[in-house]
Amino acid sequence: MSEERSIWEVRLGVYATRQQADEIKEQITRILCPDPDHAPPCPVPWSVMTLHESDLDEEDPYPELVEQARIEQPGE
């Protein structure tokens, strides 16, 4: 049985500085494509981007994450 391919979005919210978010994006990129110089195509086509919360369509998309950060990192 062969399942038809379609686009899936895997969302990851992080409470971080822009620099930390960019570093995490680079780590994810290396996981998805550990050999960036390989001959195309990638076995699984993918894309990654970084969006600030102000760019998201949803209002307060990660309330649990904000609460977790407030508890774990008081004073920030």
Side-chain angles (χ1 to χ4, degrees), residues 6-7 20 22 27-28 30 38 40 45 47 50-51 55 61:
S6 61
I7 294 176
Q20 291 169 326
D22 287 342
Q27 292 172 4
I28 291 169
R30 286 192 299 276
H38 70 79
S47 174
T50 306
L51 295 173
D55 298 324

Side-chain angles (χ1 to χ4, degrees), residues 12 14 16 19-29 48:
L12 168 68
V14 295
Q19 180 180 353
Q20 291 169 326
D22 287 342
E23 289 171 4
I24 291 168
K25 177 182 170 185
E26 288 302 315
Q27 292 172 4
I28 291 169
T29 299
V48 65

Side-chain angles (χ1 to χ4, degrees), residues 7 14 16 29 39 43-45 53 56 58-59 62-63 76:
I7 294 176
V14 295
T29 299
V44 177
E53 67 181 317
L56 301 174
E58 301 170 55
E59 186 177 322
Y62 296 101
E76 281 195 30

